Amino acid sequence: MSNSFVVAAALLLAPALGAPAPQVTVPASFGPDSQVSASVQPSTSGYMLAYLENGYASATYHGPYTGTPTTTGAANGPTTLAASIPAGPPNPTATYYNTEGVPLNPLPAPYTPAGGLGTNGSLPRYMVNSDFDFESIALGLYQEWIELDLFHDGLARFSDAEFEAAGLGPEARSLIEFMANQETGHSTLLTNMLGERAPKQCIYNYPYTTVREWVDFMQRLTRFGESGVWGFINHLDSREVGQLLAQSIATEARQQQIFRQMSGLTPMDVWFENGWPQSWSWTMLAPYISYCPENQTRLAWQNFPTLHILNNANINRYSPNDTAQDGSETVGPRIADPSVSNLTSGSCQNLNVTGYGCGPAIARNKSEPLSFPGKKVLFQWEAPGQAVGPNNSYVTATTAGAPKFVGWSQQLNLTYSPLTVTGNNTGYTYQPEGYVYGGEGIINGTMAVMLTDLDLFVTPFNTSMLNPHIVALGLYQAG
């Protein structure tokens, strides 16, 4: 975007800020582009870029992997000590309870209550400090790399006219470009905290063909990117790494909200964001990575079989209950594929009716919700053993028995409903009702659902205990 446009935007916004007085005649030009010395820095991207007529750049290839993998399966250590981690009693040192409302222990310094981690004055070390840290941050870096490519790709792929038709003008595109540039900083940060074996950027295979589908895909991808970090950040051995990661993921939360607004969804739909185990987010991310460089650092996390939600609500319909029941209104078979946008009837995209329109907006309310308690939700799930991810070199796997329940992971809860099996890897359930506090419903937004063989009780800090019981994993568009 040119500097002249930035100046123009600033001048047009000025009256709303109180000064100067509104102009009667809009100037035709706003002076020279720049009077500040600058130089163009070379790209640090790890792949070839193509510069399009609209001035944006993207990778020269986006598509499937066509070769033969030279290795398969997740990364492994020297040995595996047990089939799963057994449940244990409460932490014996977690006994503090304050009934006085004042500090109970001597203060180590003025205005400094006793306790905390990393508060003893030691010099911070901003590096991963265990295998758990390394694998978690490496997963985060895979996520940052795809966001860097994805955000740029749509800007380069679609014309100005296509963006305008989707309700996204130059200022919206400028905001997306800024969010793309944020990923340069995020990927640099995580690379530095990992060291020399940090994963490199890959080549990706995207599912969208329209601007609406691109934005919808981004709101889904940033959901599992954000939730995947909330799930592990407080388990990191390195508190210093967790500090910097929190400052990064807070930005991603804003990105997800903005992409929801651009998709015509309500920007905030829950009281609490949900945290996911690493294997959940890796399961959702891996199918969109086609090629990675030779000697790429591999991940240890599990890839679950895909759970297809056949009547996942189409966000582009003014009546989401009219979504087809056979999965045909999702653009493809991958786990986070967006809703089909080129509808022949029932589209809300250009409908300027409160409660039914879904064009980009600061906020939207749905007169007919995308989902509701009691909705019959139809499932089809894949068998394990499917090749997925970079170079088709990872394999989906499960250690669970036959599916009996549907797990709904949102806000502070993991809620179950019974699964009715209707055929070979097909079944249904009814969306359950439940509340967090007061009248706030648990199920909303873009969220994880899974088939399990057990209705295991888990809480936000130990959700990964459910992994051995997951048959298949999906992404549900509840609101």
Side-chain angles (χ1 to χ4, degrees):
M1 184 182 66
S2 69
N3 290 334
S4 60
F5 177 77
V6 175
V7 174
L11 288 174
L12 291 173
L13 284 172
L17 300 176
Q23 300 180 39
V24 176
T25 303
V26 178
S29 63
F30 296 92
D33 283 349
S34 178
Q35 300 180 35
V36 180
S37 298
S39 63
V40 177
Q41 299 299 312
S43 169
T44 58
S45 171
Y47 55 87
M48 294 292 292
L49 293 176
Y51 289 85
L52 284 297
E53 291 182 0
N54 60 11
Y56 294 109
S58 185
T60 54
Y61 176 75
H62 291 96
Y65 177 72
T66 57
T68 302
T70 57
T71 185
T72 57
N76 271 313
T79 186
T80 301
L81 300 178
S84 62
I85 296 174
N91 184 343
T93 64
T95 59
Y96 178 87
Y97 186 74
N98 192 326
T99 61
E100 305 296 328
V102 296
L104 304 180
N105 300 291
L107 275 62
Y111 313 108
T112 307
L117 298 175
T119 60
N120 61 359
S122 59
L123 183 67
R125 177 181 181 267
Y126 295 99
M127 289 290 291
V128 293
N129 205 38
S130 65
D131 288 349
F132 182 92
D133 288 9
F134 185 92
E135 293 292 334
S136 300
I137 300 303
L139 169 61
L141 183 54
Y142 269 93
Q143 178 79 24
E144 303 296 358
W145 280 136
I146 194 174
E147 290 170 356
L148 175 62
D149 180 86
L150 171 65
F151 297 177
H152 280 297
D153 178 64
L155 291 171
R157 183 181 301 202
F158 301 112
S159 67
D160 291 353
E162 288 174 297
F163 274 107
E164 294 291 344
L168 298 173
E171 291 167 302
R173 300 199 292 276
S174 175
L175 176 58
I176 296 173
E177 184 179 21
F178 180 77
M179 290 190 284
N181 294 336
Q182 287 176 324
E183 302 308 326
T184 301
H186 296 174
S187 57
T188 300
L189 171 68
L190 270 60
T191 296
N192 291 343
M193 295 192 296
L194 286 167
E196 62 189 59
R197 287 311 306 265
K200 304 298 191 294
Q201 192 162 30
C202 301
I203 297 296
Y204 307 99
N205 182 17
Y206 298 132
Y208 48 81
T209 58
T210 68
V211 172
R212 285 280 299 185
E213 292 167 1
W214 174 56
V215 176
D216 184 9
F217 180 59
M218 290 192 292
Q219 71 90 8
R220 296 170 196 250
L221 182 129
T222 50
R223 163 47 50 227
F224 61 74
E226 179 192 349
S227 287
V229 169
W230 293 138
F232 73 71
I233 191 168
N234 285 310
H235 292 286
L236 292 171
D237 289 283
S238 172
R239 310 305 295 177
E240 300 95 325
V241 168
Q243 174 66 47
L244 297 188
L245 184 62
Q247 294 176 235
S248 166
I249 205 62
T251 301
E252 185 138 338
R254 290 164 169 81
Q255 293 174 349
Q256 208 269 337
Q257 176 176 312
I258 290 168
F259 291 138
R260 286 184 61 86
Q261 290 174 309
M262 291 180 175
S263 298
L265 299 169
T266 182
M268 291 188 293
D269 44 36
V270 291
W271 289 4
F272 304 95
E273 296 300 342
N274 195 231
W276 299 358
Q278 297 92 325
S279 291
W280 299 12
S281 53
W282 179 230
T283 295
M284 299 203 186
L285 170 60
Y288 301 98
I289 308 175
S290 52
Y291 294 82
C292 282
E294 188 177 1
N295 297 321
Q296 174 80 328
T297 293
R298 299 179 64 77
L299 296 181
W301 307 113
Q302 184 174 359
N303 297 89
F304 293 105
T306 297
L307 174 63
H308 301 286
I309 303 162
L310 300 180
N311 58 340
N312 220 355
N314 189 331
I315 70 167
N316 302 300
R317 284 195 174 277
Y318 61 75
S319 180
N321 289 320
D322 291 340
T323 299
Q325 306 288 294
D326 59 359
S328 61
E329 293 198 27
T330 299
V331 302
R334 286 178 287 178
I335 192 168
D337 282 357
S339 298
V340 169
S341 65
N342 290 329
L343 298 172
T344 56
S345 63
S347 174
C348 58
Q349 295 177 51
N350 298 307
L351 187 62
N352 190 23
V353 178
T354 300
Y356 292 95
C358 66
I362 293 175
R364 290 285 187 186
N365 285 325
K366 293 283 188 181
S367 295
E368 183 178 311
L370 297 184
S371 74
F372 51 88
K375 175 183 177 179
K376 188 176 183 179
V377 183
L378 308 177
F379 299 119
Q380 184 176 34
W381 56 97
E382 296 180 358
Q386 307 299 314
V388 295
N391 304 67
N392 279 341
S393 63
Y394 292 81
V395 181
T396 61
T398 175
T399 59
K404 298 178 180 178
F405 301 94
V406 179
W408 308 76
S409 186
Q410 186 58 297
Q411 306 209 58
L412 304 180
N413 302 74
L414 201 146
T415 304
Y416 295 95
S417 60
L419 173 70
T420 300
V421 177
T422 57
N424 185 24
N425 287 17
T426 61
Y428 68 88
T429 192
Y430 293 97
Q431 182 172 316
E433 185 175 42
Y435 301 95
V436 187
Y437 298 119
E440 169 60 11
I442 294 171
I443 296 173
N444 209 341
T446 309
M447 57 178 288
V449 295
M450 65 226 67
L451 304 186
T452 70
D453 64 359
L454 180 68
D455 54 347
L456 184 70
F457 177 73
V458 293
T459 61
F461 199 64
N462 71 345
T463 308
S464 60
M465 298 291 286
L466 186 60
N467 285 355
H469 301 283
I470 294 177
V471 176
L473 182 71
L475 190 67
Y476 186 55
Q477 194 63 57

